[in-house]
Amino acid sequence: MKKWYEHRLVAIVWAALRIWLGFQWLEAGWHKLGAFDAAGFLNGAIEKAGGEFPAVQGWYAGFLETAVLPNVKIINILIPWGEILVGIGLIVGALTLPALIAGAFMNLNFLMAGTVSTNPILLTAAIILLFVIKGTAYYGIDRFLVPATINNFQDKGIFKKIRGAAAH
């Protein structure tokens, strides 16, 4: 039996939210292509870890300073392309689950780096869509891609069909 949030009419709402979120990510990544340099942002986040009321946790600033900042050239590629791919995935509804997880992870990292902006709104939208993932994927490529992929894996014995409560 389908739950209320999996119904095809309610799925229109989830699809609209998913597409809106996808455009937010696509636009954010598109503007960063070519001339993006995260070094200033990272140094600013590290500086926010000091003072009487730090906006960034010390452990996270340490992580940024020791692991991320030395690899800023890779980060300068990963962030814009990650945002663009998340956006495209959400807009067309392909690989929706990984796109939502990746987007939420990026929002969480931006928040931990002390940047509020639209991140709480985007993170909340991603979490809502993760909770209603079946309804979210109803209108999109995943509706056809995911069942076919799972059936293909079951045919190859990768995922075994479990029948009955006593099956192990």
Side-chain angles (χ1 to χ4, degrees):
M1 183 169 143
K2 285 188 176 184
K3 298 189 174 32
W4 67 270
Y5 55 83
E6 296 173 355
H7 192 274
R8 63 182 175 89
L9 293 176
V10 179
I12 294 170
V13 174
W14 304 136
L17 181 59
R18 185 195 77 222
I19 292 167
W20 172 82
L21 184 60
F23 275 110
Q24 301 307 305
W25 280 112
L26 183 62
E27 183 181 14
W30 188 260
H31 292 294
K32 291 180 180 124
L33 276 182
F36 179 66
D37 186 11
F41 173 79
L42 294 170
N43 285 316
I46 294 166
E47 288 175 15
K48 292 178 186 177
E52 190 174 343
F53 301 105
V56 176
Q57 294 289 312
W59 68 268
Y60 191 73
F63 166 72
L64 293 177
E65 191 170 21
T66 58
V68 179
L69 198 54
N71 298 300
V72 74
K73 289 184 180 184
I74 296 169
I75 300 300
N76 290 341
I77 296 168
L78 289 178
I79 289 177
W81 282 106
E83 291 177 346
I84 288 171
L85 291 173
V86 165
I88 292 170
L90 292 176
I91 291 168
V92 300
L95 301 172
T96 306
L97 181 61
L100 286 169
I101 292 170
F105 182 72
M106 284 189 286
N107 284 132
L108 182 61
N109 277 281
F110 297 149
L111 282 167
M112 288 192 305
T115 302
V116 177
S117 184
T118 60
N119 289 304
I121 296 165
L122 300 180
L123 180 59
T124 302
I127 290 171
I128 290 169
L129 291 173
L130 283 167
F131 274 110
V132 296
I133 192 66
K134 283 186 180 177
T136 301
Y138 190 84
Y139 293 108
I141 294 173
D142 281 344
R143 181 175 175 195
F144 308 103
L145 178 67
V146 173
T149 303
I150 290 172
N151 290 338
N152 187 26
F153 284 141
Q154 286 174 341
D155 292 343
K156 292 180 180 176
I158 296 171
F159 294 135
K160 302 215 187 256
K161 294 180 184 179
I162 299 175
R163 297 190 181 158
H168 295 291

